[in-house]
Amino acid sequence: SAVSQYLPGNTILYAAIPNLGTTLTQARQMFDSRLAESEALRNWWQQQPIAQNGGFDRLLNQVNSISSYLGDEIVLAMTSNADAQQAEPVFLASLRQPGLADYIKSNLPADSGVHIVGSDGASPAGKGQLFVDLDNNILVASPSAAVVQQVESIVSASSNSQFAATPLFARVQEVYGHGAGYFLAADLEQMIGKSVSSAKGKI
């Protein structure tokens, strides 16, 4: 992946999604399938605010509306807070072509909730917002402006983040090495509590 190394060290879930038109609908199906297979993952997900009131589907639709400007792969990751009990989603992708900022300003309705960070000197907070940063030819998008800023600082530094030193990153790179397109990897050890020491939590 061209963008996986830019994720923060507190990344606990990683999904690789080829950008193929209906890709985010398929990604949702893949995610639901994985939830059905893993009780631990399902229980963790049901506790997340983003999983409630259609918030996750709204984010997928927001990203899907600009997918024609994105590269061959969209990465969806979840980063955790200090106790790994609440996660924030973040999308990363290389930009396929210029003009996305103008497209968002001209074509997406005001109630779409897609906001380019720094485009007007403000970063409004609000339910349903998707904050987007387009610097360095990479899309960074999240409902959390703080997460966008965190990831963009890694991208701007042009260096690997702490995520590159984690077992989850190593597993992700292994899956890429086998030629996988769609896949989802989660660090269940972190999701179900830092007191769990067994490495069997990785899927």
Side-chain angles (χ1 to χ4, degrees):
S1 172
V3 297
S4 60
Q5 69 269 25
Y6 299 129
L7 288 167
N10 61 340
T11 298
I12 57 174
L13 184 145
Y14 184 101
I17 310 165
N19 189 12
L20 301 172
T22 59
T23 185
L24 291 178
T25 299
Q26 295 170 336
R28 178 57 164 160
Q29 294 170 349
M30 176 186 71
F31 190 65
D32 289 342
S33 175
R34 204 69 177 106
L35 291 177
E37 295 171 359
S38 172
E39 181 179 2
L41 180 60
R42 183 170 61 254
N43 290 340
W44 171 84
W45 178 245
Q46 290 171 348
Q47 299 173 20
Q48 302 305 312
I50 193 64
Q52 302 167 8
N53 302 318
F56 186 58
D57 289 326
R58 181 171 58 250
L59 286 175
L60 290 177
N61 288 333
Q62 287 170 322
V63 173
N64 192 56
S65 69
I66 58 177
S67 62
S68 64
Y69 283 85
L70 307 182
D72 294 334
E73 179 186 56
I74 299 171
V75 167
L76 165 63
M78 296 278 183
T79 64
S80 70
N81 60 359
D83 60 6
Q85 294 303 305
Q86 182 170 329
E88 294 283 4
V90 59
F91 295 88
L92 284 87
S94 299
L95 294 180
R96 183 192 305 273
Q97 58 184 341
L100 179 53
D102 290 338
Y103 174 83
I104 291 173
K105 294 173 185 177
S106 301
N107 294 281
L108 296 189
D111 62 1
S112 69
V114 179
H115 175 76
I116 302 174
V117 175
S119 64
D120 55 8
S123 296
K127 185 177 180 180
Q129 292 276 349
L130 181 71
F131 297 99
V132 175
D133 190 294
L134 303 173
D135 291 341
N136 301 293
N137 208 41
I138 292 177
L139 168 100
V140 181
S142 174
S144 167
V147 171
V148 170
Q149 184 177 22
Q150 179 186 18
V151 176
E152 180 53 36
S153 67
I154 300 171
V155 174
S156 297
S158 298
S159 61
N160 291 347
S161 72
Q162 293 180 350
F163 180 53
T166 65
L168 180 59
F169 180 85
R171 180 69 178 116
V172 164
Q173 295 303 104
E174 180 182 348
V175 175
Y176 275 122
H178 293 152
Y182 285 97
F183 71 88
L184 184 148
D187 187 340
L188 294 184
E189 181 177 334
Q190 297 299 318
M191 289 177 175
I192 63 177
K194 294 196 174 184
S195 61
V196 178
S197 59
S198 172
K200 295 181 180 179
K202 307 295 188 301
I203 63 173

